[in-house]
Amino acid sequence: MLGDLGTAGLAVGLACATLTALLWLRVALFGADVRTARRGTTATLAAAALAFALLETALLRHDLSVRFVAENGGRHVPLYYTLTSLWSALDGSLLLWLLILGGYAALLARRAYPARLHAYAMVVVSVVMLFFFALSTFAANPFRAVSPVPADGPGPNPLLQQHPAMGVHPPLLYAGYLGLVVPFAFALAAPLAGRDGPGWVRMARPWALAAWAALTGGIGLGAWWSYAVLGWGGYWAWDPVENASLLPWLTATAFLHTTLVRGRAAWHGALACASFLLVLLGTFLTRSGAVTSVHAFTDSPLGPMLLGFVLLAVVVSAVLTGRRTPEPTRPGRPRALSRATLVLVHGVLLVTIAAVVLIGTILPLLTAPLTGTRSSVGPAYYQRTAVPLAVVVLLVMGVTPALRVRDRSAALRRLVVPAAAGLGTVALVGLLSRPGPAALTAFGAAGFVLTGLAGDLAHRLRRPGPHRRPNRLAGLIAHAGLALVAVGVAGSSAYGRDAERTLRVGETLRVSDVAVRLVGVDRTGGSASMSVQARLALTASGRAAPTITPALRYHAARDTAVTVPAIGTGPLRDTYVTLLAVSEDSGTATVRLAVNPLVGLIWVGGALTAVSGLLAAAATARPRTRPAARTGRPQPAPVAAAPGATT
């Protein structure tokens, strides 16, 4: 029953999305009444919500006649993970995708924008909605029946039942991905809208900021989840699916930076389109089975449809953005050393990093059909290419605030203290330790950036007026957050130490000034899973700490064993202990002990960066008016600054 209703809901949603796209096209071409098109958008969202609610109901009722429930549900699964299991597998995650996409479409439909630009943008969003409804209906229908009906299901992947972040990370990541469809839609609509086209960047900017903030939060939460659950002690492995989330973040960040400079319409359109095209490419990588990853779904029939849609979107984007009228050249010679120039340099660097990461991500896919063997691109490639470019981005971030003043000599004077702080950091860290050239450069660049930001903040607070507005401060917060992330990455990479050893009861494993002593091994069992824990006495800096219990859990339904690390978090470092194996007689246990300095700065910096995006998005979306001129005409609201802004 629920399966039939769900399939019908998807069919209704597909019909509504098709009709809605045609209604918005009618509005764009003939100026028809917009109310009918808005109702169609609302109906499409309602169909997506209905399908989502029906699948959640099937999971909660353990309706094992529904294929998705039979493959991913289970009576033994806790309620929270039963709810989140909807997006734990391919078919169900598409319903969450449709729900969020429909929400963006409904919000955009209710906004007041220039008529033709708005209508064409809604056509683009509706076509994207139509495609994903078609994908879910014909290739990934989670409501298909299963026969014979099993007595119980295996539950979701055990790795997805280890941490509550599973309930937040995918929805947040999807909100970031799908929010980028709005700037993409405006960029494609602008050349078609005629006189309504100019000014689309100002309308797209709040949407891009909100999506950027959600994507930043999703990536940061995913890194934390990886660190806390997978047991390997790291947070980023340059996994193809991790890269798929980083790519649109880089181009969206470049878009937000370049829109701070007037003109450059071709740049704006290309970056807005590239951001969502990379989302589509990431969707293909994640859902086609093209790459192997703990984050990716298994092989599916979605690959050809997704690849075809990606190619179609690329062609349409190239044709429409290529139609733009060339910008008139401005008289006068542009200054080489100016804030506008550095903002554009920042954008170029971010796009270059995105290109480097994209090459490393798709190269194995291209070499396999050409050579018959799939090449591998490991972390060393990214560390030699992307990491140095990221350090240059940090340095540019530190220089840009000083160029707010027009006097070049005054701007250079404002760089003296940050430069001295950066060099002092390099000297001090280099004398006290030997972290390596890459980490030492990152520390110096972060010191340069943070000192410059502190000076700029003090300068703003001394001046009354708009410089204290939240949107003006959002860029400072974002840059400070990224600098802290850089310190955390450099510190944990350069100073992190680990060791692995098989211990007998009473033996000790030591790393630096941290030691763990095996006290005993405990085994517990149940119908759904079995667990083995190692009781370890932890000593740090000569002081005893509470006993820790890393574990191995075996899930019989999935025939999978997962590690449950024990993590001791401190202000300057984490102690990370993983149980790798236990002997049959429980007399020995193989333990990995890692000490990860400064890793907490990654989570703090990521949170600050995401919050800065929300502040900027809220301030930009809030209408502000200036006093009317003497002619009585209303003055346009200024475009607010955002992450990357230093005005």
Side-chain angles (χ1 to χ4, degrees):
M1 179 64 178
L2 287 174
D4 294 336
L5 289 175
T7 300
L10 289 175
V12 170
L14 178 61
C16 289
T18 305
L19 180 61
T20 300
L22 295 174
L23 289 172
W24 282 110
L25 183 62
R26 181 167 167 260
V27 173
L29 294 176
F30 307 111
D33 188 4
V34 74
R35 287 177 294 182
T36 305
R38 284 176 175 165
R39 293 189 188 104
T41 304
T42 303
T44 306
L45 171 61
L50 175 63
F52 181 91
L54 287 172
L55 189 56
E56 281 286 20
T57 302
L59 286 165
L60 291 171
R61 293 176 56 182
H62 306 298
D63 187 347
L64 297 165
S65 65
V66 176
R67 182 182 59 84
F68 185 86
V69 180
E71 294 176 353
N72 302 280
R75 304 182 193 279
H76 60 281
V77 180
L79 176 62
Y80 179 78
Y81 293 108
T82 295
L83 290 169
T84 61
S85 63
L86 184 142
W87 49 85
S88 68
L90 171 64
D91 300 353
S93 70
L94 278 177
L95 296 190
L96 176 63
W97 189 274
L98 281 170
L99 181 65
I100 295 174
L101 181 58
Y104 276 117
L107 287 174
L108 181 61
R110 297 292 172 180
R111 298 302 297 269
Y113 294 122
R116 284 172 59 83
L117 177 68
H118 188 203
Y120 276 119
M122 286 303 306
V123 171
V124 174
V125 175
S126 300
V127 168
V128 174
M129 192 85 179
L130 187 160
F131 169 74
F132 281 103
F133 258 116
L135 203 64
S136 188
T137 302
F138 299 118
N141 185 350
F143 295 102
R144 285 196 291 266
V146 62
S147 181
V149 177
D152 199 0
N157 187 321
L159 285 172
L160 305 180
Q161 302 180 52
Q162 297 297 110
H163 201 283
M166 178 57 192
V168 184
H169 165 56
L172 197 58
L173 202 63
Y174 288 5
Y177 280 152
L178 294 168
L180 294 174
V181 74
V182 179
F184 171 74
F186 276 122
L188 295 187
L192 301 173
R195 293 181 180 179
D196 287 350
W200 70 270
V201 172
R202 176 175 56 82
M203 303 165 203
R205 188 175 179 79
W207 299 90
L209 281 166
W212 182 88
L215 189 54
T216 302
I219 292 173
L221 195 58
W224 182 46
W225 175 85
S226 178
Y227 180 74
V229 168
L230 297 185
W232 62 294
Y235 43 82
W236 193 270
W238 297 103
D239 180 280
V241 181
E242 290 177 339
N243 294 350
S245 65
L246 179 63
L247 286 168
W249 185 89
L250 289 168
T251 52
T253 307
F255 172 77
L256 291 173
H257 278 80
T258 57
T259 53
L260 296 171
V261 181
R262 293 185 179 182
R264 311 290 180 181
W267 262 90
H268 303 158
L271 289 172
C273 290
S275 298
F276 190 66
L277 291 175
L278 288 171
V279 169
L280 295 177
L281 178 63
T283 307
F284 166 73
L285 293 174
T286 307
R287 290 175 165 79
S288 65
V291 296
T292 303
S293 165
V294 67
H295 306 84
F297 299 105
T298 55
D299 293 343
S300 73
L302 274 64
M305 294 178 67
L306 282 167
L307 183 59
F309 190 68
V310 171
L311 296 176
L312 176 63
V314 169
V315 171
V316 172
S317 300
V319 170
L320 290 181
T321 56
R323 292 180 51 188
R324 297 184 182 280
T325 305
E327 298 178 38
T329 57
R330 295 185 178 183
R333 186 178 179 180
R335 295 194 314 171
L337 186 61
S338 66
R339 175 179 165 273
T341 301
L342 284 187
V343 166
L344 292 177
V345 169
H346 207 160
V348 171
L349 287 170
L350 289 168
V351 171
T352 305
I353 296 173
V356 166
V357 175
L358 179 62
I359 290 171
T361 303
I362 66 174
L363 186 61
L365 302 181
L366 299 178
T367 56
L370 294 177
T371 64
T373 59
R374 175 173 291 192
S375 62
S376 60
V377 177
Y381 162 80
Y382 300 102
Q383 291 166 3
R384 289 194 298 264
T385 54
V387 172
L389 288 170
V391 173
V392 177
V393 169
L394 272 179
L395 293 173
V396 174
M397 280 169 40
V399 173
T400 306
L403 299 181
R404 242 181 354 99
V405 295
R406 294 185 178 275
D407 186 351
R408 190 171 301 179
S409 60
L412 293 176
R413 286 196 300 270
R414 293 183 64 178
L415 289 174
V416 171
V417 174
L423 293 174
T425 301
V426 170
L428 182 62
V429 174
L431 288 173
L432 295 177
S433 63
R434 297 182 181 275
L440 197 59
T441 306
F443 285 136
F448 174 65
V449 171
L450 291 172
T451 305
L453 291 175
D456 194 45
L457 178 61
H459 178 72
R460 289 171 183 269
L461 294 178
R462 286 196 300 266
R463 297 177 61 189
H467 299 280
R468 300 185 182 185
R469 288 175 180 167
N471 60 296
R472 298 295 182 93
L473 299 176
L476 300 182
I477 298 173
H479 286 178
L482 292 173
L484 290 177
V485 170
V487 173
V489 170
S492 59
S493 301
Y495 300 121
R497 299 290 183 268
D498 66 88
E500 178 183 323
R501 183 181 166 192
T502 300
L503 302 176
R504 295 184 180 276
V505 174
E507 291 184 338
T508 299
L509 173 63
R510 184 179 300 275
V511 172
S512 185
D513 62 342
V514 178
V516 291
R517 179 173 54 86
L518 181 62
V519 177
V521 175
D522 301 320
R523 294 178 182 269
T524 58
S527 59
S529 66
M530 293 175 285
S531 176
V532 56
Q533 291 183 341
R535 285 180 284 115
L536 297 164
L538 175 66
T539 305
S541 301
R543 291 177 294 182
T547 301
I548 56 174
T549 55
L552 279 170
R553 290 178 183 168
Y554 176 73
H555 293 257
R558 290 279 183 179
D559 192 21
T560 302
V562 297
T563 60
V564 183
I567 305 173
T569 302
L572 295 179
R573 67 182 183 183
D574 283 5
T575 301
Y576 196 103
V577 185
T578 309
L579 178 62
L580 302 178
V582 175
S583 63
E584 291 185 5
D585 62 358
S586 300
T588 63
T590 303
V591 176
R592 179 181 178 272
L593 170 63
V595 177
N596 300 327
L598 302 178
V599 72
L601 291 179
I602 298 175
W603 324 131
V604 174
L608 282 176
T609 307
V611 168
S612 73
L614 292 176
L615 285 175
T620 306
R622 187 186 306 120
R624 293 197 305 271
T625 57
R626 291 178 177 173
R630 291 185 179 180
T631 58
R633 296 178 181 176
Q635 302 297 311
V639 177
T646 54
T647 56

